[in-house]
Amino acid sequence: MNERLAHLGRIRIRHALRAALLAAAALLTLGTASTWAAPLPARQIERLDEHWHFLRAESPAASEEDFDDSAWATVSLPHTWNASDGEAGGDYYRGPGWYRRELQLPPSRSTLKHYLQFDGAALVADVWINGHRAGHHEGGYAAFRLDVGAWLRPGRNVIAVRVDNAPSSRVAPLGGDFTVFGGLYRGVQLIAVGAAHIDLLDDGGPGVYVTADEVGQDRARLTIRTRLTDSGAAPRRLQLRWTLRDAQDRLVERRLTPVGPAPAGTRVMEQALSVPHPHLWQGVDDPYLYRLSVEVLERGEAVDCLTVPVGIREFSVDPARGLLLNGHPYAVHGVNLFHSGRPGRGLAVGDAQVDEDFRILSELGVTGLRLVHFQHPQRAYDDADRLGFVLWTEIPLNSAMDDSDAFGTNLTQQLRELVKQNYNHPAVVVWGLGNEVYKSNQASHDLLAQLHRTAKALDPHRLTSYAHCCAADDDPQSLQTDLIAFNRYYGWYEGEVTDIGPWADRVHAAQPSRAIGVSEYGAGASVLQQEEPALRPVPASRWHPEQYQALFHEAYWRQLRVRPWLWATFVWVGFDLPSAGRDEGDRRGFNDKGLVTYDRRTRKDAWYWYQANWSSVPMVHLAGRRYSPRSGTRTDVKVYSNAAHVTLQVDDTAPVTQPVTDHVATWQGLELPAGVHRLTATGDGKVTDSIEWTVREAGR
């Protein structure tokens, strides 16, 4: 008993630490929102999220410096022009929109190099500075930077941005079961650096890339590649200083390397650091992070600096044992996380919303996430690092593709951006190369094979995967990546819920040397629609009772958890999401397979089923709480819990205790007279849950 209490105490401490880390990260974000945030004198970051003028229409003359935009709306970033119609169902605006704002550049900054960073502009962006075309970017979900110094001047400047989310055969995604929200839906910043600085034009990447290899208990080696840019007129002597600190801010190792003079340009400097007795990143059990700072020194003074997270871990996937983290089996179970969207905002959300989602998922007990169907904001990867969630993150090759070279080139670009921008996140284990491409032919196979080669060239240490559907399990489409996972919806779109286990066994037996997982499974549910006993609904209908979703997931998880060779399993989906083409459930324009509602206010019964299975924090949940009023005086009561026993008390009657069998306790055929009743469930005398039910006589 004392040992169990100590274990629970350690779990509570870990959850408290995770909450504190997220809170600290939120405070840090607030701290960096000031006008000029300068970690060192020569790297300065100015947020440009306020005072934009916006027009949702085409306006070619808006690129001109003296264009009059006074009649336009004033907006702040993040912003999308589909905040309303993107959530209404049916058609929504897909076309161009314009943003303009002024920028005051102090004369003291005119000698620095200036870069504009866009954290996300969907889908295609064109940028002008003072009427001069500064750059073009195709792809809506990765950050990109432009060197704009040639067109900036001291004093007043005008930035004009044309963003277009119209479908284009050359830009992914071409399909997908989600709304493509247009606009500057993430932030914009101006970065100023000196002539010698860490490269800012490497596909939006940080310019510093850390690889942990030769990981052992006694020692680990870090290999650090730093892209050093020097745009000065004459060669100069520089130094690079690498400093590694642990989570307690203690110095682990520091190296100083001279950089010989060279012509203007960018060169790659490599440095190895040795970490004695490394504290490993152990997923949710111990997500330990170091910090690496890389400084550019000139005459002993730091002229640029960048700090990146370092998580020391090694991993592999065994077809018979699943994912191995630091040599030990690590069960990866979780959800597909589409994006931290919110009602009336779409994808135009900030760090607070991302943090809230990760808190909900931490409470659920996930060990991994699949980030779909495109690159997520950096805050999501930061939170996953801190909380220990293993990540599969992917590019937007979704359902449809184009055979053109232009489309392949765009996908390769988006893959380069995904890999480089997220290379330093220890949470990232898998690069996803596509999802449910509905045609399987030589062109689709060649595209996936080329993407795989690109990913391995950029990052030979991580694995690639593809989410397969709608063709044979051994179709060539499924054979182009290191790993494979399948989207399977038996018991919802086809087959029965009992089919998932036997199907997995057949695939495993047919491909014993191939690591397989389940990338999607789920069922729709409306918290406004209740039915007991729950019957299987028609997916395309407007009736998706919450109870059937819970039964679906009970059946699936009981089959998936006993097959540890599945390298990962992900519920579709963590949160309900806008999907303009859908007309089902309680409202148009939504995919309601989430375990939590789109507004994040309601956790569905199925969420608690998984919490009972996945979390060690004591919990108890009375299911069917929204089925009130109830017709008929005899009813069943079901409770999800990770306790050994649950006691149920109805009103002032004597409590009745039942054992919890496979995380469920049930009381069948309880007689509840017509009226209002209060039910209270208590798990192991520690945690309680209470609800009120109104009971009506049958037929009333």
Side-chain angles (χ1 to χ4, degrees), residues 126-317:
D126 292 276
V127 182
W128 289 263
I129 305 293
N130 296 326
H132 300 278
R133 188 181 183 87
H136 173 80
H137 184 263
E138 296 182 346
Y141 304 106
F144 65 95
R145 301 190 189 103
L146 302 173
D147 183 348
V148 296
W151 303 286
L152 286 178
R153 60 193 178 221
R156 177 182 177 272
N157 296 269
V158 176
I159 304 172
V161 187
R162 181 187 186 272
V163 187
D164 193 343
N165 71 333
S168 168
S169 62
R170 59 181 292 130
V171 181
L174 300 185
D177 186 11
F178 53 88
T179 298
V180 178
F181 289 91
L184 293 178
Y185 71 101
R186 294 180 189 156
V188 176
Q189 47 192 304
L190 181 69
I191 304 173
V193 293
H197 58 272
I198 297 168
D199 185 22
L200 287 160
L201 294 179
D202 190 30
D203 292 309
V208 173
Y209 306 96
V210 184
T211 302
D213 51 17
E214 298 181 11
V215 176
Q217 291 184 344
D218 296 331
R219 191 166 300 278
R221 186 181 71 170
L222 300 182
T223 301
I224 306 156
R225 289 181 298 111
T226 300
R227 294 176 58 87
L228 175 63
T229 295
D230 189 355
S231 56
R236 75 188 84 192
R237 293 187 180 276
L238 303 169
Q239 293 174 306
L240 285 179
R241 183 163 62 199
W242 290 271
T243 303
L244 183 70
R245 294 185 178 276
D246 65 15
Q248 290 73 42
D249 203 35
R250 296 176 299 209
L251 179 66
V252 177
E253 189 171 4
R254 174 174 287 159
R255 292 287 181 89
L256 185 66
T257 302
V259 180
T266 299
R267 49 186 154 165
V268 179
M269 306 293 295
E270 189 167 295
Q271 177 67 53
L273 297 182
S274 181
V275 183
H277 306 291
H279 192 148
L280 301 185
W281 190 88
Q282 298 277 17
V284 295
D285 292 330
D286 187 8
Y288 192 88
L289 293 174
Y290 294 82
R291 291 182 299 111
L292 175 73
S293 295
V294 181
E295 298 167 280
V296 182
L297 306 180
E298 184 175 7
R299 299 186 184 92
E301 296 291 329
V303 296
D304 194 18
C305 179
L306 185 71
T307 300
V308 298
V310 175
I312 300 176
R313 84 286 185 267
E314 61 178 1
F315 62 87
S316 61
V317 176

Side-chain angles (χ1 to χ4, degrees), residues 386-408:
R386 289 189 290 264
L387 294 170
F389 299 164
V390 167
L391 295 182
W392 161 344
T393 183
E394 65 193 35
I395 55 175
L397 174 58
N398 194 292
S399 73
M401 60 169 282
D402 189 85
D403 293 345
S404 67
D405 290 342
F407 181 76

